[in-house]
Amino acid sequence: MQTNPTHTSLVAIGDSFTEGMSDLLPDGTYRGWADLLAGRMAARTPGFRYANLAVRGKLIAQIVEEQVGPAAAMQPDVITLVGGLNDTLRPKCDMGRVRALLEEAVERLTPACKHLVLMRSPGRQGPVLERFRPRMEELFACVDDVAARHGALVVDLYGAPSLADPRAWDVDRLHLTDEGHRRVAEAVWQTLGYEPEDPEWRTPMLPTPPPNWTARRVEDARFTRQYLLPWIGRRLTGRSSGDGLSPKRPDLLPYEGPAA
């Protein structure tokens, strides 16, 4: 990979991870690692253009059907694709189909950009992850394989201790905090060949005293009521948190916003 390259455009596709949940801005919109990355790249390249087609809740089939074609048509310098993890969290998941769809996406996107970036998504420590870990690791093995065969870049977030720390995750235990998104942006930045701004992004966070038993139980009850039960309800009824939502940046336009 070229050192300190110049890229003129970025298109990000995927689900809530790339949309930017839960990096909430004061106006109620989400920022996230892709916006942070675009801000950095724009600070180096006047006229830099950015689109973000990601929508929360999307499965890999929906990403392929709704986002891959428009992203390829934009012909950007860099495309990031993160998808399939929502599939692995479903009670019934056809991993063979997930692999085939990921392969299709990469085959269509690789010729359309200079650099295609895939990721091994971060995994929060905790019992929920343990249940789905075999599927997740099967997905990540597929990511490694298809990237190697098609010349895509892979950012290994799954192997980063800092992003396994529960403190990097929001109260819903599914989405990263602003600090978690900052570290992801740094990881992609370095993978693209830019000079590190935070060489220690993988380093575990400094230890802090754990919450007491009462605080943990209160937080568990809040999590179950506000997030877990609604999530289960959507799974049982076939609904998605992204139903009816449009991408936040559907067009490849000059980036305007603070560099990060």
Side-chain angles (χ1 to χ4, degrees), residues 17 87 91 99 147 221 226 237 244:
F17 176 71
D87 296 79
R99 289 193 298 271
Q226 293 186 353
T237 58

Side-chain angles (χ1 to χ4, degrees), residues 2-3 16 21 26 30 41 53 57 62 64 83 85 134 145 147 149 158 169 181 201-202 224 228 230 237-238 254 259:
Q2 176 186 355
T3 302
S16 60
M21 297 174 71
Y30 291 110
M41 297 169 82
L53 310 183
Q62 295 170 307
V64 171
L85 198 60
D145 175 64
R149 288 188 286 106
Y158 185 66
W169 296 79
H181 280 284
W201 71 267
R202 290 177 173 269
T224 300
L228 181 59
T237 58

Side-chain angles (χ1 to χ4, degrees), residues 31-240:
R31 181 178 56 176
W33 65 265
D35 286 15
L36 292 170
L37 177 65
R40 287 192 186 186
M41 297 169 82
R44 298 172 60 98
T45 308
F48 181 85
R49 297 175 300 151
Y50 169 53
N52 189 323
L53 310 183
V55 175
R56 68 197 73 170
K58 294 298 182 181
L59 302 173
I60 187 65
Q62 295 170 307
I63 294 171
V64 171
E65 179 181 354
E66 301 168 10
Q67 301 177 25
V68 167
M74 293 176 185
Q75 298 280 306
D77 285 350
V78 178
I79 297 176
T80 65
L81 164 62
V82 188
L85 198 60
N86 282 333
D87 296 79
T88 69
L89 300 178
R90 296 279 174 138
K92 295 181 180 180
C93 174
D94 183 347
M95 287 304 297
R97 184 166 183 264
V98 171
R99 289 193 298 271
L101 288 166
L102 180 62
E103 179 96 33
E104 177 187 342
V106 171
E107 288 178 345
R108 292 169 59 187
L109 293 171
T110 300
C113 61
K114 293 181 180 178
H115 302 298
L116 176 62
V117 179
L118 308 179
M119 297 188 200
R120 294 161 55 91
S121 303
R124 183 186 187 276
Q125 295 173 349
V128 175
L129 174 63
E130 292 306 314
R131 177 182 177 185
F132 296 103
R133 188 183 297 274
R135 284 185 187 171
M136 292 173 59
E137 294 186 346
E138 185 177 351
L139 173 65
F140 300 154
C142 177
V143 167
D144 289 341
D145 175 64
V146 72
R149 288 188 286 106
H150 293 278
L153 303 172
V154 177
V155 183
D156 183 15
L157 305 173
Y158 185 66
S162 62
L163 293 176
D165 192 314
R167 290 172 295 173
W169 296 79
D170 193 36
V171 293
D172 67 0
R173 305 181 185 180
L174 285 174
H175 301 105
L176 293 171
T177 62
D178 55 351
E179 173 61 16
H181 280 284
R182 184 196 69 79
R183 291 180 184 243
V184 174
E186 178 67 32
V188 182
W189 174 261
Q190 292 184 26
T191 299
L192 287 169
Y194 292 100
E195 189 70 24
E197 296 188 11
D198 177 12
E200 304 301 324
W201 71 267
R202 290 177 173 269
T203 302
M205 299 179 186
L206 294 175
T208 57
N212 61 38
W213 185 91
T214 300
R216 292 198 305 271
R217 299 294 77 77
V218 169
E219 184 59 35
D220 287 345
R222 177 190 176 195
F223 163 71
T224 300
R225 181 179 66 255
Q226 293 186 353
Y227 301 104
L228 181 59
L229 292 179
W231 182 83
I232 292 173
R234 290 194 298 271
R235 299 291 81 74
L236 293 176
T237 58
R239 294 179 291 115
S240 167

